[in-house]
Amino acid sequence: MEKKSQNEKFQKALSKCVKCGACQAVCPVYDIEKKENSVARGKLALLQAYMKGEIELTSKLYETISKCILCTSCKDTCAASIEIDRIISTAREKAVKEFGMPPLKKALLEILCGTFPGRKTFLKSASLVEKMFMKKIPSESGLFYKGYFLGRKEGKIFPALSKKTLTEIIDLEKVSDSLSSVLFFQGCTINFISPQTGISALNLIRKSNFTPILLNKQQCCGLPAFFSGDREKAEKLAYSNLEMLSEKKFDYLVVACATCGSAFKEIYPLIFEDDSNRLQKWEEIKGKILDLSEFLSGPGNRIFSKIKKTEKETTKTATYHDPCHLYKGQKIEKEPREIIKNIPRINLVEMENSSDCCGFGGMFSIENFELSREINKKKIENILSSKAELVLTGCPGCILQIKSGLIAKSSNIEVKHWCELLDEATNGKSTID
Ligand code: SF4
Ligand code: SF4
């Protein structure tokens, strides 16, 4: 009975498409492949045919639905307000139930989501494997490796895993009652690959006169599992995070990762929608969730009085990349730009199409390696044309993808989370020198 109503809901969602084709103009996958199957309209038509029993759920159909980066560009332009992210995730869930997940993807997801027993030990070993078997890229980043797999001539660029995770570097579980508190949810990429971003975010929270809290028990936000069709894993992670957050007192929950923010604001309400008890608990937490840029532009805006003046005149030109999960998902675009404009000696220039997807999409970039790289090339062209010396953004995943695209072009343009620069500016230091 429940399955029947879920299928009816799914079919109803699919039938909303009026076939206007507006999604074609904004789809990064269509832009590269120029095939009807690449765009939302084509995918919806195939899924409709499958639901009517006109076609089988074959591995070809599975491949078609895997070729969506879930950037949601088409959701914003769709006159019928089709929730493509929800539809594709549901379709992937059906495909995973039918075929199971490809073993490599399953293993990667287990590691990414932290449901793999002994993930920390595994990642430490992976760090050693990188050093032993991959080629270090002699770029200014100094933090990337190139691996050659499955006969690919160009190789894939991998970020170096951090020697210590953020929670190993900083212990902030104990909270003082004297100040309002901010629970910082670091997410997996910041914890395992770029802890410096987390350190800067925590510094900024403290310098805004709030007490930062960092919990050791944090799990992956679950978005990679949800978008891969592994609903069961996404639910487990969401339940565990809800339980952990419900036990803690805090005034704000701040994220510096666009993906985690999007999971909390958009996906958790979907996961809890048929569970009124959990949904109610989540609604109470949801009102406190802010992206770091929202927090510093609002309750934490005392940070701007801490920016140190400088006599130095050298400036650096920076451009800002809008992460899909921030710009399209959370509608945040002004706040990070205003913050960047306040950083001394940074001259912000806009690149063309700053909100175009960088091609990352988490598991998408692994499953659709060539396609992800082609989408990324367009972003890199826009960055290079802007003549910026520095790329700033608000998503650690986009940072990895853009860095790897720039390295492939032998460019030494730096890519950073803007919070690292603001942290330096409030310390009176600057990487511009
Ligand atoms: S924009 Fe929306 S309604 Fe129009 S074809 Fe695309 S999915 Fe269908
Ligand atoms: S979500 Fe993005 S990649 Fe997927 S169909 Fe829409 S525009 Fe294309």
mmCIF file of all heavy atoms in Angstrom, residues 26-29 38-40 68-74 84, ligand 2:
data_model
loop_
_atom_site.group_PDB
_atom_site.id
_atom_site.type_symbol
_atom_site.label_atom_id
_atom_site.label_comp_id
_atom_site.label_asym_id
_atom_site.label_seq_id
_atom_site.Cartn_x
_atom_site.Cartn_y
_atom_site.Cartn_z
ATOM 1 N N VAL A 26 20.470 25.482 -19.385
ATOM 2 C CA VAL A 26 21.251 25.651 -18.151
ATOM 3 C C VAL A 26 21.948 24.376 -17.677
ATOM 4 O O VAL A 26 22.671 24.403 -16.685
ATOM 5 C CB VAL A 26 20.348 26.184 -17.007
ATOM 6 C CG1 VAL A 26 19.865 27.591 -17.288
ATOM 7 C CG2 VAL A 26 19.164 25.255 -16.750
ATOM 8 N N CYS A 27 21.735 23.273 -18.378
ATOM 9 C CA CYS A 27 22.263 21.990 -17.882
ATOM 10 C C CYS A 27 23.733 21.798 -18.295
ATOM 11 O O CYS A 27 24.047 21.731 -19.481
ATOM 12 C CB CYS A 27 21.412 20.843 -18.422
ATOM 13 S SG CYS A 27 22.023 19.237 -17.890
ATOM 14 N N PRO A 28 24.652 21.682 -17.313
ATOM 15 C CA PRO A 28 26.070 21.517 -17.675
ATOM 16 C C PRO A 28 26.352 20.192 -18.379
ATOM 17 O O PRO A 28 27.275 20.103 -19.184
ATOM 18 C CB PRO A 28 26.796 21.592 -16.324
ATOM 19 C CG PRO A 28 25.770 21.319 -15.287
ATOM 20 C CD PRO A 28 24.456 21.741 -15.854
ATOM 21 N N VAL A 29 25.549 19.166 -18.084
ATOM 22 C CA VAL A 29 25.770 17.863 -18.725
ATOM 23 C C VAL A 29 25.330 17.947 -20.193
ATOM 24 O O VAL A 29 26.035 17.498 -21.100
ATOM 25 C CB VAL A 29 25.015 16.742 -17.964
ATOM 26 C CG1 VAL A 29 25.178 15.406 -18.667
ATOM 27 C CG2 VAL A 29 25.513 16.646 -16.529
ATOM 28 N N SER A 38 20.586 13.719 -21.621
ATOM 29 C CA SER A 38 21.426 14.385 -20.618
ATOM 30 C C SER A 38 20.632 15.391 -19.810
ATOM 31 O O SER A 38 20.984 15.728 -18.690
ATOM 32 C CB SER A 38 22.566 15.162 -21.279
ATOM 33 O OG SER A 38 23.106 14.466 -22.340
ATOM 34 N N VAL A 39 19.584 15.914 -20.408
ATOM 35 C CA VAL A 39 18.882 17.029 -19.797
ATOM 36 C C VAL A 39 17.676 16.528 -18.987
ATOM 37 O O VAL A 39 17.212 15.402 -19.183
ATOM 38 C CB VAL A 39 18.479 18.021 -20.925
ATOM 39 C CG1 VAL A 39 17.293 17.527 -21.712
ATOM 40 C CG2 VAL A 39 18.259 19.405 -20.398
ATOM 41 N N ALA A 40 17.172 17.367 -18.079
ATOM 42 C CA ALA A 40 16.070 16.948 -17.203
ATOM 43 C C ALA A 40 14.881 16.411 -18.004
ATOM 44 O O ALA A 40 14.337 15.349 -17.682
ATOM 45 C CB ALA A 40 15.639 18.127 -16.334
ATOM 46 N N CYS A 68 23.710 12.947 -13.873
ATOM 47 C CA CYS A 68 23.120 14.228 -13.455
ATOM 48 C C CYS A 68 23.939 14.667 -12.256
ATOM 49 O O CYS A 68 24.113 13.903 -11.309
ATOM 50 C CB CYS A 68 21.655 14.048 -13.062
ATOM 51 S SG CYS A 68 20.982 15.511 -12.247
ATOM 52 N N ILE A 69 24.449 15.876 -12.326
ATOM 53 C CA ILE A 69 25.349 16.339 -11.260
ATOM 54 C C ILE A 69 24.566 16.850 -10.048
ATOM 55 O O ILE A 69 25.136 17.156 -9.020
ATOM 56 C CB ILE A 69 26.316 17.389 -11.843
ATOM 57 C CG1 ILE A 69 27.577 17.515 -11.018
ATOM 58 C CG2 ILE A 69 25.661 18.719 -12.036
ATOM 59 C CD1 ILE A 69 28.711 18.171 -11.764
ATOM 60 N N LEU A 70 23.238 16.925 -10.206
ATOM 61 C CA LEU A 70 22.335 17.439 -9.166
ATOM 62 C C LEU A 70 22.703 18.868 -8.767
ATOM 63 O O LEU A 70 22.658 19.242 -7.595
ATOM 64 C CB LEU A 70 22.286 16.486 -7.967
ATOM 65 C CG LEU A 70 21.613 15.151 -8.288
ATOM 66 C CD1 LEU A 70 21.872 14.112 -7.224
ATOM 67 C CD2 LEU A 70 20.121 15.321 -8.489
ATOM 68 N N CYS A 71 23.093 19.629 -9.793
ATOM 69 C CA CYS A 71 23.470 21.025 -9.556
ATOM 70 C C CYS A 71 22.226 21.890 -9.320
ATOM 71 O O CYS A 71 22.326 23.007 -8.839
ATOM 72 C CB CYS A 71 24.253 21.559 -10.745
ATOM 73 S SG CYS A 71 23.284 21.624 -12.268
ATOM 74 N N THR A 72 21.061 21.372 -9.684
ATOM 75 C CA THR A 72 19.742 22.032 -9.569
ATOM 76 C C THR A 72 19.596 23.306 -10.404
ATOM 77 O O THR A 72 18.695 24.095 -10.163
ATOM 78 C CB THR A 72 19.321 22.308 -8.092
ATOM 79 O OG1 THR A 72 20.183 23.268 -7.525
ATOM 80 C CG2 THR A 72 19.275 21.060 -7.261
ATOM 81 N N SER A 73 20.463 23.492 -11.400
ATOM 82 C CA SER A 73 20.317 24.665 -12.278
ATOM 83 C C SER A 73 18.952 24.628 -12.963
ATOM 84 O O SER A 73 18.303 25.656 -13.144
ATOM 85 C CB SER A 73 21.397 24.670 -13.358
ATOM 86 O OG SER A 73 22.659 24.662 -12.780
ATOM 87 N N CYS A 74 18.516 23.417 -13.351
ATOM 88 C CA CYS A 74 17.245 23.312 -14.084
ATOM 89 C C CYS A 74 16.045 23.540 -13.162
ATOM 90 O O CYS A 74 14.987 23.971 -13.612
ATOM 91 C CB CYS A 74 17.150 21.962 -14.780
ATOM 92 S SG CYS A 74 17.323 20.567 -13.685
ATOM 93 N N ILE A 84 13.988 18.260 -9.503
ATOM 94 C CA ILE A 84 14.819 17.267 -10.181
ATOM 95 C C ILE A 84 15.713 16.499 -9.209
ATOM 96 O O ILE A 84 15.927 15.300 -9.365
ATOM 97 C CB ILE A 84 15.651 17.920 -11.321
ATOM 98 C CG1 ILE A 84 16.288 16.859 -12.227
ATOM 99 C CG2 ILE A 84 16.694 18.872 -10.791
ATOM 100 C CD1 ILE A 84 15.346 16.181 -13.152
HETATM 101 S S1 SF4 B 2 20.331 18.999 -11.959
HETATM 102 FE FE1 SF4 B 2 21.944 19.957 -13.221
HETATM 103 S S2 SF4 B 2 22.934 18.236 -14.280
HETATM 104 FE FE2 SF4 B 2 20.973 17.455 -13.492
HETATM 105 S S3 SF4 B 2 19.551 17.689 -15.188
HETATM 106 FE FE3 SF4 B 2 19.370 19.563 -13.929
HETATM 107 S S4 SF4 B 2 20.811 21.031 -14.822
HETATM 108 FE FE4 SF4 B 2 21.321 18.990 -15.660
#
